[in-house]
DNA sequence: TACTGTGAAATATTTCACAGCA
DNA sequence: TGCTGTGAAATATTTCACAGTA
């Protein structure tokens, strides 16, 4: 069932479902229907059930889903039922925002080191994470089992940093620099250009009339 | 041609094309083919041409596109050929990252005010933007023609801030809080949950083997 | 009864392939 | 010749609608 190709958008929605289920879990909710969960996520309930059906059967007909169990299943599917070690390159404002974003750590995404080229930043400690010179990256990555690298450098530096990451065993890159990263097929790269979100919003506001 | 429904993903890609065209323009490039631009954006060239065809004909057969003119056209389509005034609620690390993100200002997205409820933050000036108490929002919005509101508060506060925004004439909201915002149809809301990007990356790295 | 799980139908999006034109 | 623009075909995704079942 899970050997098939999964639409990227389905993977995204699984993350969304997990986030909403976490809220319901905190409220002590035991059961939920696809209708209610879907509504809360802003999607169609058939779509939610179809998304889940790529991976198995997690509900009970006539009843619904157990909130804690469905969350557990989704986490196992996403691979977020364990800790992920990460490094980040670029300790500007956005980089510091990620280093301080404790919700990430709460979900198992832990930064073990940060890198920069700015002398003033090297040696800083941001939310318990030490900022190294980028030259020390090979050494630091040898010491820890880091799988994810986050790029919050300016566009100019992004490809170089990505190449360093890839050469030293990073398997997945989250790139927030506004430039597309070239990479071999055995490395996963997710791009997120925040400025494009503003463009998209402008388009729709523009056309409201 | 533009009265038809435009896929959201097409709007997103227009932003992507604009970003890449800006780079080519800086390099002094005059002409570009759909093939080259598409490759640089990681999309199929027929798709690029189809995206543009929703809005008109901007190229020359046998030749390609004029870089500055195509950029101008896309900016007009997106509505980013003018200035957009914005406010932001939540001056935490992410909020400060946006306030300091000069690329936004360069593209015409200008913050005129920031808001927070933390006494320690009220009165701060971040990159020339004053931080007001959230209570002053009605007054500030009356003074400026602000169309976009950005939410970088914790999840708990997001809906309340959105309601305030909407009550005081904001037309578009960019929500970075990890919660879905309820809103009337005459207000556009774009959601961006950064933690879900990490989930998605985990999924694909997890399955690499 | 009240829900899930899922084929089938409907819809949306992408890609092909080629006519049209500088 | 070498490109764009675009119908048509192919593919992907969403939604419907209902059988199955606690």
């Amino acid at each position: 069932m899970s050997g098939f190709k999964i639409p990227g958008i389905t993977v995204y929605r699984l993350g969304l479902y997990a986030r909403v289920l976490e809220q319901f879990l905190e409220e002590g909710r035991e059961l939920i229907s696809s209708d209610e969960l879907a509504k809360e996520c802003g999607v169609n309930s058939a779509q939610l059930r179809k998304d889940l059906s790529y991976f198995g059967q997690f509900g009970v007909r006539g009843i619904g889903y157990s909130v804690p169990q469905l969350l557990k299943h989704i986490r196992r599917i996403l691979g977020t039922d364990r800790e992920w070690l990460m490094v980040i390159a670029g300790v500007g404002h956005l980089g510091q925002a990620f280093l301080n974003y404790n919700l990430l750590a709460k979900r198992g995404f832990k930064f073990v080191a940060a890198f920069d080229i700015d002398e003033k930043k090297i040696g800083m400690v941001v939310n318990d994470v030490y900022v190294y010179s980028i030259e020390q990256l090979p050494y630091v990555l040898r010491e820890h089992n880091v799988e994810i690298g986050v790029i919050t450098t300016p566009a100019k530096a992004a490809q170089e940093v990505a190449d360093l990451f890839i050469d030293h065993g990073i398997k997945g890159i989250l790139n927030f620099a506004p430039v597309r990263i070239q990479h071999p097929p055995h490395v996963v790269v997710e791009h997120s250009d925040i400025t494009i979100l503003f463009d998209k919003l402008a388009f729709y506001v523009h056309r409201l009339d």
Side-chain angles (χ1 to χ4, degrees), chain A residues 109-121:
Chain A
F109 293 98
K110 303 257 164 81
F111 288 106
V112 301
F115 299 97
D116 209 297
I117 51 163
D118 181 351
E119 289 294 338
K120 289 192 289 287
K121 283 174 186 152

Side-chain angles (χ1 to χ4, degrees), chain A residues 100-182:
Chain A
N100 282 292
Y101 199 6
N102 290 322
L103 203 53
L104 279 179
K106 202 178 136 193
R107 294 190 183 167
F109 293 98
K110 303 257 164 81
F111 288 106
V112 301
F115 299 97
D116 209 297
I117 51 163
D118 181 351
E119 289 294 338
K120 289 192 289 287
K121 283 174 186 152
I122 295 165
M124 273 173 56
V125 176
V126 181
N127 199 19
D128 289 337
V129 178
Y130 189 88
V131 181
Y132 294 90
S133 156
I134 190 81
E135 267 107 51
Q136 305 211 255
L137 187 142
Y139 172 75
V140 173
L141 287 190
R142 219 176 294 125
E143 290 299 300
H144 301 90
N145 183 32
V146 176
E147 291 171 283
I148 292 178
V150 178
I151 299 178
T152 47
T153 64
K156 282 191 295 278
Q159 184 65 57
E160 207 176 330
V161 164
D163 293 342
L164 259 178
F165 278 171
I166 294 166
D167 287 349
H168 293 89
I170 289 287
K171 297 178 195 159
I173 293 174
L174 205 40
N175 174 42
F176 291 91
V179 67
R180 186 150 294 265
I181 296 291
Q182 304 299 314

Side-chain angles (χ1 to χ4, degrees), chain A residues 85-102:
Chain A
L85 300 189
M86 312 193 292
V87 294
I88 186 167
V91 188
H93 293 286
L94 188 60
Q96 293 192 38
F98 286 133
L99 286 166
N100 282 292
Y101 199 6
N102 290 322

